[in-house]
Amino acid sequence: MKPSDSLRAECPPGTIAVTGLGMTSSLGLTAVASCAAARAGVTHWAPLEIEEADVKRLKSVPLKGHAARGYTDGFTGVGRLLRLADGALADVLEDARLKPADMSRTGVFLCVAGDLYARVRSESVRHEEGVTPELADALEEEAAEARKEARAHVGRRLLPQLLKLHGLGIPPGAQDYFAGGAASFTTALAKALELLRGRVVDRCLVGGVDSLVEGAALEDVYEMGLVRTPESAVGFFPGEAAAWVLLERADAARARNAAALAWLGNVAVEREAFHRFSGDVPLGAALLRAVTSCCSGGKPEETGLVLANLNGDEWRARELGLALSEMKDAGLPADAPLWSPPASFGEVGAATGAVSACMAVRGFARGYAGASSALVLLLADDEARGAFLLHDAKAS
């Protein structure tokens, strides 16, 4: 998608059902446990591998984050992502009670982290070193090749091994990655809706996995000053999670007697012309366009819950605040209670959309959502902004 491009997938309630959830996080190894802990206000802190000076205590202390301790210990890189995604996939398959015969017409779409942080950090390091333009070009070419190889490594290992672990024979045309920030989940949803409405598949597993608590991912966000530290009250706490939602056409769900947990509504993706590190001021324009497109034709007063991934970053809070102000003036949902998944799980990047969906659907199931519809807003440090609607199946 180009900066001017937009994507909207219209999905009337009652056509595409959410029939299963799965999650692995710092708060639990299932969607039920994770969302119940988040609802209760539980947080599970873990010391991270980078230490920061604490002036008040006159010593170095480890950064705090939300790691799935005891579950991902000893795993790094792609292996850690596979561990997280594997647990969440096992959870959704059990929750949805899918049989092997059901998998022949199932799509799988997984959101993974993009390379924005690595790319921007690489550029900033070369600028600080004051290298010549020729050397800078050579270093950038080398760094770009390394990032390309890292993406290829994820592609070769993550989904193929994940599907193999569960004995799932998914056709190549019905599986794909979506690399980027939190809003990549809305792009994956739109792709799933395209295949479902075209009857290419009967159901789609759409998920996300990310980990910012170790290795190069943690180093990048720390060195760029994005992480909360003892000396900085602004920034996010790194987290890690994987989550999946199972989407099915209503007729396919009825054919296997699957219960609808929720109905998926409209999905919209818009893009800004800049990213978090470009120096531009966030005005919430792309997010507003996504919400307007997502909510068009509906009744805004019925959307009594908003989920937005505020994570402690001032840049993101400013953008959401401006967007909410414009939404209110436009008669869009703006005064509803606001849930922020990072408050419970930390910043989980590409997993944010799926985690947010699980929280909303569990809120419907347990009756504490306080609304029959939820609007999920996905802000990101890259250019993409997303929004999608979920409707309580019991209410309809």
Side-chain angles (χ1 to χ4, degrees):
M1 294 173 60
K2 299 177 182 178
S4 59
D5 289 345
S6 62
L7 186 157
R8 180 176 187 267
E10 187 173 346
C11 186
T15 58
I16 303 297
V18 177
T19 57
L21 304 173
M23 193 193 306
T24 301
S25 72
S26 61
L27 296 184
L29 303 184
T30 67
V32 171
S34 295
C35 294
R39 167 64 176 169
V42 175
T43 51
H44 189 184
W45 298 106
L48 306 182
E49 58 192 28
I50 293 179
E51 293 193 348
E52 173 83 2
D54 187 336
V55 176
K56 294 181 180 179
R57 300 167 64 181
L58 299 178
K59 65 177 184 179
S60 294
V61 296
L63 298 178
K64 289 172 35 175
H66 299 260
R69 297 182 65 184
Y71 188 75
T72 55
D73 292 352
F75 292 85
T76 61
V78 179
R80 196 175 187 109
L81 299 179
L82 181 60
R83 176 72 167 165
L84 289 163
D86 174 41
L89 184 56
D91 185 30
V92 70
L93 293 176
E94 181 177 357
D95 184 51
R97 299 179 181 178
L98 284 177
K99 300 175 183 178
D102 299 324
M103 303 309 299
S104 61
R105 291 184 54 79
T106 300
V108 178
F109 300 119
L110 180 61
C111 299
V112 296
D115 63 0
L116 176 66
Y117 295 140
R119 175 162 49 86
V120 174
R121 184 188 172 198
S122 176
E123 293 170 355
S124 64
V125 168
R126 290 196 307 278
H127 179 73
E128 291 175 0
E129 291 175 348
V131 298
T132 64
E134 294 77 11
L135 180 56
D137 290 342
L139 290 174
E140 171 53 29
E141 184 177 349
E142 182 180 347
E145 186 62 31
R147 293 193 298 269
K148 181 179 178 181
E149 176 56 32
R151 291 194 299 270
H153 183 57
V154 172
R156 287 192 301 267
R157 287 195 57 193
L158 190 52
L159 256 184
Q161 291 193 16
L162 186 61
L163 298 178
K164 186 177 180 180
L165 282 171
H166 293 271
L168 306 181
I170 306 298
Q175 56 176 287
D176 204 356
Y177 293 101
F178 293 82
S184 61
F185 185 71
T186 43
T187 307
L189 285 178
K191 178 64 175 180
L193 286 176
E194 178 186 338
L195 296 189
L196 288 166
R197 290 188 299 205
R199 294 187 173 270
V200 177
V201 296
D202 292 332
R203 60 195 60 84
C204 273
L205 286 160
V206 186
V209 60
D210 209 342
S211 176
L212 294 171
V213 300
E214 59 92 30
L218 176 60
E219 291 178 9
D220 287 339
V221 294
Y222 171 71
E223 292 295 338
M224 294 168 69
L226 301 177
V227 176
R228 187 84 61 90
T229 71
E231 299 304 313
S232 175
V234 177
F236 61 71
F237 291 109
E240 62 180 358
W244 296 90
V245 296
L246 178 63
L247 304 178
E248 291 192 73
R249 286 198 321 274
D251 61 320
R254 286 193 296 268
R256 68 180 192 90
N257 294 318
L261 307 176
W263 298 107
L264 179 65
N266 295 340
V267 178
V269 188
E270 295 283 346
R271 292 180 69 88
E272 293 284 7
F274 53 86
H275 57 67
R276 166 74 169 76
F277 311 100
S278 63
D280 294 89
V281 177
L283 300 176
L287 184 63
L288 177 63
R289 292 197 304 270
V291 174
T292 302
S293 180
C294 186
C295 294
S296 64
K299 298 179 180 179
E301 65 273 10
E302 293 180 356
T303 305
L305 176 64
V306 174
L307 290 86
N309 56 323
L310 290 179
N311 63 358
D313 179 66
E314 181 183 6
W315 196 83
R316 188 172 295 183
R318 187 185 313 160
E319 178 178 6
L320 179 61
L322 290 170
L324 288 175
S325 176
E326 294 292 335
M327 286 165 57
K328 185 174 183 179
D329 292 342
L332 296 167
D335 295 326
L338 179 68
W339 292 0
S340 298
S344 300
F345 303 103
E347 175 56 53
V348 293
T352 304
V355 166
S356 300
C358 288
M359 290 181 68
V361 174
R362 288 302 301 165
F364 293 152
R366 299 297 295 170
Y368 59 79
S372 60
S373 296
L375 172 65
V376 179
L377 307 180
L378 296 174
L379 294 84
D381 288 337
D382 60 14
E383 297 87 349
R385 305 292 183 269
F388 64 94
L389 284 166
L390 289 167
H391 306 280
D392 187 355
K394 298 190 302 295
S396 58

